[in-house]
Amino acid sequence: MRLINTKTMQLEDFTVRKIPAYAILSHTWTEEEVTFQEITGQDDSFTTKAGFAKILRTCVLARAKNIKYAWVDTCCIDKTSSAELTEAINSMFRWYKNASICYAYLSDLPSRKDIKEPGNHGSGNDATIGDDELRACRWFRRGWTLQELIAPKTVQFYDQNWAFRGTKADFADNICRFAHIDPLVLQGGGQLTKLSIAERMTWASSRETTRIEDTAYCLLGIFDINMPLLYGEGEKAFTRLQQEIVKNNSDLSIFGCFYSVLAEAPAQFATPSDWDILSSVEHSVTNRGIKIYWRPTSIVGA
């Protein structure tokens, strides 16, 4: 894992060193993001990019909290290395979970002048952003930001002018209403493994990714799955994800979409099934498909 030193703005490698406290950025990408090659190169022209402003602001906010390091996905991963990219994507949920704080930058949320700074507002800040205004943000429609909402202990939301608008706790009620995510999950008190596969799939049903394969890869942490990335496999990525889930879970709700044995996309889980996770039965993936071992408890008319 590489981290940005928030004072020197240089990358430091912690692959074999103990990872220190760090802040992490969550955002939606634009065409002007700063790459690993640019931030480690000799040419500093990248500092004029819009993406660098996000990196800089993240470091400034982290320094204000005495956090010496920060992680930003655009420049801390060498995406030209397939091995490094695979390791990063399989580790990303954990990296967000372990961050001291997550700054979520909502680039399309209009700014307001009367917003209080963090630490100065009351127990809730829902009045600063309405349901429609919040759900309209692109950040809430992207696949990758789902885990970035759920995994961190603390998420602070900032608008297009980097004005603080509230925390995940402040907007928990709003988010639950339009994203249908269990309140305990947002509050950090709910374990994902206690929720059915179908319910967790529902959270991703209306989210989008640029690459079709990422509809599966962005959910690895949500289901605690590790698997290799194969860009170019298309919809097979989501099939592979479900097969890995089946291998590691006895929850039958994954078969509840009824379009086929396995769903073709998260959108088919828009309406969760009624399967009870506690009444699941044994099943497995074989070379001939999926085998379900079902023993009926009673026979009608018997």
Side-chain angles (χ1 to χ4, degrees):
M1 183 183 196
R2 297 188 188 88
L3 295 170
I4 306 168
N5 186 307
T6 58
K7 291 185 177 180
T8 67
M9 299 297 293
Q10 299 295 312
L11 287 181
E12 296 184 22
D13 195 333
F14 290 90
T15 303
V16 295
R17 291 190 288 165
K18 182 179 179 180
I19 298 173
Y22 61 92
I24 201 163
L25 175 67
S26 176
H27 64 120
T28 54
W29 285 30
T30 66
E31 295 180 357
E32 288 196 7
E33 300 298 345
V34 177
T35 67
F36 169 77
Q37 283 70 27
E38 288 175 318
I39 203 169
T40 57
Q42 301 299 316
D43 185 358
D44 64 357
S45 60
F46 67 87
T47 57
T48 62
K49 285 187 169 185
F52 182 72
K54 292 188 283 188
I55 298 171
L56 182 61
R57 189 63 181 179
T58 299
C59 290
V60 169
L61 290 170
R63 284 202 308 269
K65 289 186 172 291
N66 295 315
I67 301 175
K68 296 181 179 179
Y69 293 93
W71 188 87
V72 179
D73 55 357
T74 55
C75 63
C76 290
I77 305 171
D78 181 1
K79 298 174 188 63
T80 63
S81 167
S82 58
E84 181 172 331
L85 182 61
T86 294
E87 180 182 359
I89 289 180
N90 277 273
S91 305
M92 206 163 291
F93 187 92
R94 184 176 73 254
W95 289 350
Y96 275 89
K97 182 178 181 180
N98 293 340
S100 298
I101 190 168
C102 174
Y103 301 120
Y105 175 57
L106 309 182
S107 59
D108 53 355
L109 179 64
S111 191
R112 294 182 184 177
K113 296 180 180 179
D114 58 344
I115 304 304
K116 299 176 181 179
E117 290 300 315
N120 296 327
H121 60 282
S123 59
N125 210 22
D126 277 9
T128 65
I129 310 178
D131 282 18
D132 291 341
E133 191 176 13
L134 194 64
R135 72 185 302 171
C137 293
R138 184 170 176 260
W139 192 88
F140 285 99
R141 302 194 303 273
R142 302 301 294 170
W144 287 107
T145 53
L146 176 59
Q147 65 178 356
E148 297 164 18
L149 169 66
I150 291 173
K153 297 180 288 292
T154 303
V155 179
Q156 290 187 347
F157 291 102
Y158 291 81
D159 63 29
Q160 60 187 17
N161 291 331
W162 283 96
F164 174 74
R165 300 300 294 272
T167 68
K168 177 168 66 169
D170 291 333
F171 300 131
D173 289 342
N174 298 44
I175 296 170
C176 288
R177 279 193 291 270
F178 66 77
H180 308 293
I181 298 175
D182 190 293
L184 286 178
V185 173
L186 291 178
Q187 295 163 10
Q191 296 182 8
L192 293 179
T193 54
K194 293 183 178 180
L195 301 175
S196 73
I197 300 300
E199 181 174 354
R200 282 178 275 170
M201 283 290 187
T202 302
W203 304 339
S205 63
S206 61
R207 291 178 177 253
E208 302 173 345
T209 59
T210 302
R211 297 288 298 268
I212 190 171
E213 295 87 353
D214 286 338
T215 59
Y217 303 157
C218 72
L219 298 177
L220 295 182
I222 300 293
F223 296 102
D224 193 22
I225 294 296
N226 289 285
M227 69 182 204
L229 311 187
L230 300 171
Y231 281 105
E233 66 175 330
E235 294 177 350
K236 292 180 180 178
F238 191 63
T239 299
R240 282 204 299 128
L241 171 64
Q242 293 174 96
Q243 290 173 342
E244 291 300 317
I245 292 173
V246 168
K247 291 177 184 177
N248 292 276
N249 293 272
S250 60
D251 176 8
L252 283 178
S253 70
I254 192 172
F255 305 119
C257 71
F258 299 121
Y259 287 84
S260 60
V261 176
L262 294 178
E264 297 177 356
Q268 293 179 346
F269 286 90
T271 302
S273 67
D274 295 327
W275 283 104
D276 183 352
I277 189 172
L278 299 178
S279 65
S280 301
V281 298
E282 183 181 355
H283 54 270
S284 62
V285 178
T286 72
N287 62 338
R288 300 184 66 180
I290 294 176
K291 181 180 290 185
I292 299 176
Y293 305 88
W294 183 278
R295 179 177 294 176
T297 57
S298 62
I299 301 175
V300 177

